[in-house]
């Protein structure tokens, strides 16, 4: 089945063509980052309008890149949530209109299921079952994945997501949106062990996370440095490194626990923060000690993209799942 995948949940317009036999044929992405950067974060109305402008041209582009035409499409998958409701409506409307015109089935999929399954697009995909760490701007979750649609929640953040903590730390350090990659780049110049930040909730059992205390600790450290007149480039880099190390250690400790608890030897990391190099290195090191393997998507499929939605949708469409006639747009939607 040739499936067109559409992602418009936030600030990236992502489109892809996935063939259930031949694999990923083409994908295209337009990021609105430059447009939102002036505002320090995503402006929902601007995001929706830009999806309207970019979506159909990107659909035509992936078709032409794959040497296909609209008439070849056999199913359409779109992100139905969670996300910005206006942005989701754009993807859902185009998906349903195209599906109606072409007479093909349409299905809304969960954005986080897309992230979770993105590593399946790589050459050596993980076998089921595996433990997945989902770390994005809105989610920090540990899930045991027994198969497509068979997800067992092991733990999640009780407050901020890891990506959100990265973005807020970036603001405190005077870095632009989106903060994660910029904090990581600044941390490269940091002096190890100049500051020691807490590893929240690692001193007690369980697989839940909390990042809001770490955020406050960062803010207090920034303010103390400012008050002392020491908030220079080196101190900013040192704080970035201390923050990043605390997040990486915390996620690594919980992943080790999750692998042990789930008696699993495969760990998948997905979502925007999984692009973080220090996190990858930390998890690889921990997994090697457990004789476990780590899987992740290529960097461009760690953040939001259409390929992961086309993949997740194709698995479900092939299994016979479809939307009714209604467009589904669910801003808050637990997986
Ligand atoms: O998955 P994603 O693209 O969008 C959501 O569904 O949220 O994740 C975006 C998040 C942002 O918070 C961004 O700062 C973070 O992922 N991120 C990173 C890195 N690249 C993206 N955080 C740390 N290090 C990175 N290299
Ligand atoms: Zn995402």
């Amino acid at each position: 089945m040739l499936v067109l995948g559409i992602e418009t949940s936030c600030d990236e317009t992502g489109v892809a063509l996935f063939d259930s036999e031949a694999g990923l044929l083409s994908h295209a992405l337009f990021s609105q980052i430059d447009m939102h950067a002036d505002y320090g974060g995503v402006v929902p109305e601007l995001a929706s309008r830009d999806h309207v402008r970019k979506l159909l041209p990107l659909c035509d582009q992936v078709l032409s890149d794959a040497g296909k035409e609209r008439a070849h499409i056999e199913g359409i998958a779109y992100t139905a949530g969670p996300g910005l409701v206006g942005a989701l409506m754009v993807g859902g409307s185009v998906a349903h209109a195209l599906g109606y015109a072409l007479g093909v089935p349409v299905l809304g999929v969960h954005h986080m299921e897309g992230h979770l399954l993105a590593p399946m697009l790589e050459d050596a995909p993980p076998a089921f079952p595996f433990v997945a760490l989902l770390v994005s701007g809105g989610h920090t979750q540990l899930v045991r994945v027994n198969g497509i649609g068979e997800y067992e929640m092991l733990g999640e953040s009780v407050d901020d997501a890891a990506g959100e903590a990265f973005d807020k730390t970036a603001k405190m350090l005077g870095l632009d949106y989106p903060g994660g990659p910029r904090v990581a780049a600044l941390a490269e110049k940091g002096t190890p062990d100049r500051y020691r930040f807490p590893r929240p909730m690692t001193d007690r059992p369980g697989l839940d996370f909390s990042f809001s205390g770490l955020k406050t600790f960062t803010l207090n450290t920034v303010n103390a440095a400012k008050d002392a007149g020491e908030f220079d480039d080196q101190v900013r880099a040192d704080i970035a490194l201390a923050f990043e190390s605390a997040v990486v250690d915390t996620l690594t400790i919980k992943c080790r626990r999750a692998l042990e608890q789930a008696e699993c030897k495969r760990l998948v990391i997905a979502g925007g923060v999984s692009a973080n190099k220090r996190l990858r290195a930390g998890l690889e090191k921990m997994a090697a000690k457990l004789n476990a393997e780590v899987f992740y998507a290529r960097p461009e499929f760690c953040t939001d993209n259409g390929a992961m939605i086309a993949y997740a949708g194709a698995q479900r469409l092939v299994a016979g799942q479809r939307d009714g006639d209604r467009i589904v747009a669910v801003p808050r939607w637990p997986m």
Side-chain angles (χ1 to χ4, degrees), residues 3-8 14-15 51 55-56 59 73-80 87-109 309 317 323-328:
V3 175
L4 176 75
I6 295 176
E7 155 64 35
T8 62
V15 183
H51 287 308
L55 192 47
L56 281 174
C59 288
I73 297 172
E74 294 168 297
I76 302 175
Y78 64 97
T79 301
L88 292 167
M89 281 301 291
V90 177
S93 308
V94 168
H96 271 273
L98 262 180
Y100 184 70
L102 298 171
V104 300
V106 179
L107 181 69
V109 304
I309 301 304
L317 284 161
D323 278 0
D325 289 338
R326 299 170 77 103
I327 298 164
V328 186

Side-chain angles (χ1 to χ4, degrees), residues 6 20 224 244 252 300 331:
I6 295 176
S20 55
E244 186 181 45
T252 305
E300 60 192 314

Side-chain angles (χ1 to χ4, degrees), residues 50-243:
D50 208 54
H51 287 308
V52 170
R53 276 190 288 270
K54 299 293 172 4
L55 192 47
L56 281 174
L58 286 180
C59 288
D60 289 336
Q61 186 186 324
V62 294
L63 285 167
S64 106
D65 288 351
K68 302 279 182 192
E69 291 174 11
R70 285 190 187 175
H72 293 129
I73 297 172
E74 294 168 297
I76 302 175
Y78 64 97
T79 301
L84 303 169
V85 71
L88 292 167
M89 281 301 291
V90 177
S93 308
V94 168
H96 271 273
L98 262 180
Y100 184 70
L102 298 171
V104 300
V106 179
L107 181 69
V109 304
H110 197 291
H111 179 80
M112 296 313 289
E113 179 176 57
H115 276 304
L116 184 75
L117 299 177
M120 307 295 283
L121 288 161
E122 300 307 322
D123 283 341
F128 298 118
F130 56 76
V131 168
L133 172 70
L134 288 173
V135 267
S136 72
H139 294 79
T140 304
Q141 296 176 327
L142 273 163
V143 187
R144 185 186 156 100
V145 179
N146 298 322
I148 306 279
E150 295 171 52
Y151 310 129
E152 215 178 298
M153 191 64 68
L154 302 173
E156 62 188 322
S157 179
V158 296
D159 42 56
D160 293 358
E164 197 179 345
F166 263 100
D167 294 336
K168 287 176 179 163
T169 295
K171 267 195 183 167
M172 293 176 211
L173 296 173
L175 301 169
D176 287 339
Y177 160 88
R182 294 196 160 93
V183 170
L186 183 61
E188 296 281 329
K189 298 177 202 131
T191 323
D193 303 323
R194 161 95 177 254
Y195 296 102
R196 167 96 190 159
F197 283 23
R199 275 68 176 147
M201 291 177 82
T202 52
D203 55 355
R204 64 185 103 153
L207 294 171
D208 285 339
F209 305 90
S210 164
F211 290 106
S212 92
L214 181 59
K215 189 182 66 190
T216 310
F217 194 93
T218 309
L219 183 63
N220 291 340
T221 309
V222 166
N223 287 339
K226 283 183 179 165
D227 290 346
E230 289 169 355
F231 195 59
D232 58 16
D233 285 351
Q234 190 56 52
V235 164
R236 286 168 61 245
D238 296 346
I239 292 173
L241 178 58
F243 166 82

Side-chain angles (χ1 to χ4, degrees), residues 7 9-10 12 82 111-112 114-115 135-139 271-272 302-305 308:
E7 155 64 35
S9 67
C10 191
E12 330 264 354
H111 179 80
M112 296 313 289
H115 276 304
V135 267
S136 72
H139 294 79
C302 286
T303 45
D304 293 348
N305 66 87
M308 66 184 195

